[in-house]
Amino acid sequence: MIMKRFLTAMVLVLASLGIQAQLLYKISGNGLQSPSYIVGTYHLAPVSFVDSIPGIRQAMADTQQTYGELIMEELMAPDSLAVMQKAMLMPDGMTLDKLLTADEMTRLNAYMKGLIGMDMTNPMIAQQMGKMTPAALNTTLSVLNFIKKTGRFDVQNGFDNYFQKEAYAKGKGVGGLETMAFQMDVLFKSQTLERQKELLMCQVDNAAFMDEMAEGVIRAFYSQDLEAIKEAMDAKLHNSCDSTPEEEDNLIYKRNADWLTKMPALMAQKPTLFAVGAGHLPGHRGVIHLLRQAGYTVEGVVK
C-alpha cells in the first residue's frame, strides 16, 4: 500500500478539499452527540512519533473506543498467524524458481543479494522465501528494505497497534473495520500469480525509483502532509508497473467506501478514534471527503 503514487493534478483537488498538513481530524455534526476522530497512520512508523501529532492525546482521552483497519491483538494470535502464513504461500508444489524464468531469477537474486546479503541460492532462504507468492515476497522485501534503511521495525509494538493497546489499558472498546481474512485476500490473492510476478520484477528492476517513492511517503508522513503522501503514492513509471484502476480500487477506494458504511453507526454509538493508514484519507475518494459527503464536519486538529 505504501508503494502507490500520485499525479500532480491531484494536489489541486486536495487543496480544494481543504486538506492541510496534519494527520488528526475531528468528525462532528450530522447528529453526533460527541465528536469522533480519525488519525492517519504509517504502519512502519515508530511509536515515539505519536506525540508529534497535535491533539492526539486529547482525542484518545475524549473517545470511548478505538477502531483500526484490523484488531491487532487478533492479528498476532497463533491461529491468525497460521492463516496469514498460508495466504502468503503458493499452491503446493509451486516455487518461485518454477514461476520465474532463469533470467528473472538471476535478477531477483542480484536484488536480494544487495538487500540482505543472501539470495535464493542459499537453501535456508529458498526454504523460507522460495514458496512465497510473489506478492508476499514483494511485501517482505519492502519491509526488509525499510529495516535496512532505518534500523527499526517492531511488529509487536507497531504504530497502529499502539492506539489499540492504549484503549485496552483504559478499559475502552477496540474493533476493526475489516477482518484479517479480507486483508489477506486483498494483499495476496486479488491478483493472478503472473501479475504478482510482474510487479515483483518491477520492484527488482526499478529499485531506485521504488526507494524514492517509499522515502517520499515516509518524509511526507513525518511532515504530517497528506497531500505529499498522496503525491508520493501516486508517482508513475507510465508502464505496466503502475497500478491499474481496478487494483487501486481493490487496495484503497473500495475499502474506503466500505468503511463509510460502518463508521456512522460506530460514531453514533460511542465517540470513536479511528486509526487507519494515512493513504486512505486524502483525495476525492478518500475517507475525509467521503465523510464530508455523508454530511459530517471534518476539521484538522492543529493543537
Side-chain angles (χ1 to χ4, degrees), residues 5 79 94 154 156 162 175 189 217 225 252 257 266 270 295:
R5 339 276 185 250
D79 288 349
M94 178 66 75
D154 185 350
Q156 296 289 343
Y162 174 79
K189 298 181 181 180
V217 172
D225 189 339
I252 299 180
L266 294 171
K270 293 179 180 179

Side-chain angles (χ1 to χ4, degrees), residues 90-165:
M90 288 191 288
D92 289 343
M94 178 66 75
T95 54
L96 280 168
D97 60 356
K98 294 179 181 179
L99 183 64
L100 275 62
T101 66
D103 178 64
E104 289 168 339
M105 282 300 302
T106 297
R107 285 145 54 198
L108 173 62
N109 280 334
Y111 175 81
M112 293 180 65
K113 192 80 170 179
L115 178 61
I116 61 175
M118 296 179 286
D119 59 28
M120 293 293 184
T121 63
N122 182 308
M124 182 179 69
I125 297 298
Q127 177 64 28
Q128 292 178 342
M129 298 183 175
K131 298 178 182 180
M132 284 184 173
T133 65
L137 180 61
N138 208 350
T139 299
T140 300
L141 294 176
S142 295
V143 173
L144 291 173
N145 193 28
F146 176 86
I147 294 172
K148 181 180 180 180
K149 290 180 180 301
T150 65
R152 62 172 181 262
F153 178 54
D154 185 350
V155 68
Q156 296 289 343
N157 296 290
F159 192 83
D160 297 69
N161 196 21
Y162 174 79
F163 297 105
Q164 297 186 22
K165 282 186 172 182

Side-chain angles (χ1 to χ4, degrees), residues 105-278:
M105 282 300 302
T106 297
R107 285 145 54 198
L108 173 62
N109 280 334
Y111 175 81
M112 293 180 65
K113 192 80 170 179
L115 178 61
I116 61 175
M118 296 179 286
D119 59 28
M120 293 293 184
T121 63
N122 182 308
M124 182 179 69
I125 297 298
Q127 177 64 28
Q128 292 178 342
M129 298 183 175
K131 298 178 182 180
M132 284 184 173
T133 65
L137 180 61
N138 208 350
T139 299
T140 300
L141 294 176
S142 295
V143 173
L144 291 173
N145 193 28
F146 176 86
I147 294 172
K148 181 180 180 180
K149 290 180 180 301
T150 65
R152 62 172 181 262
F153 178 54
D154 185 350
V155 68
Q156 296 289 343
N157 296 290
F159 192 83
D160 297 69
N161 196 21
Y162 174 79
F163 297 105
Q164 297 186 22
K165 282 186 172 182
E166 287 295 295
Y168 279 127
K170 292 177 171 55
K172 298 180 180 181
V174 170
L177 294 169
E178 298 172 343
T179 64
M180 189 197 70
F182 172 81
Q183 280 209 1
M184 291 303 99
D185 284 343
V186 170
L187 294 175
F188 304 126
K189 298 181 181 180
S190 62
Q191 299 164 319
T192 65
L193 286 179
E194 281 298 320
R195 176 57 173 163
Q196 292 181 37
K197 181 185 84 165
E198 182 177 30
L199 293 176
L200 172 63
M201 297 314 298
C202 287
Q203 172 71 28
V204 168
D205 295 334
N206 301 279
F209 177 82
M210 297 299 183
D211 280 354
E212 183 180 346
M213 290 192 300
E215 289 167 5
V217 172
I218 294 170
R219 286 193 303 269
F221 178 79
Y222 290 142
S223 298
Q224 305 193 44
D225 189 339
L226 290 184
E227 293 179 17
I229 290 173
K230 181 152 181 58
E231 185 176 356
M233 287 173 61
D234 281 353
K236 306 292 184 184
L237 281 166
H238 302 290
N239 58 28
S240 60
C241 292
D242 297 334
S243 297
T244 67
E246 181 181 8
E247 288 168 344
E248 291 183 344
D249 281 349
N250 288 336
L251 188 61
I252 299 180
Y253 301 122
K254 286 183 178 179
R255 294 169 67 198
N256 292 353
D258 179 63
W259 296 351
L260 261 292
T261 68
K262 302 169 182 177
M263 292 173 69
L266 294 171
M267 294 187 292
Q269 178 190 49
K270 293 179 180 179
T272 305
L273 173 65
F274 299 98
V276 299

Side-chain angles (χ1 to χ4, degrees), residues 10-26 224-227 281-284 288-289 292 297-302:
M10 285 303 298
V11 174
L12 299 178
V13 176
L14 292 169
S16 72
L17 297 178
I19 304 298
Q20 301 170 19
Q22 51 221 183
L23 296 174
L24 178 65
Y25 289 78
K26 182 173 75 171
Q224 305 193 44
D225 189 339
L226 290 184
E227 293 179 17
L281 301 190
H284 71 286
I288 290 174
H289 186 55
R292 288 172 175 161
T297 298
V298 186
E299 306 167 288
V301 178
V302 295

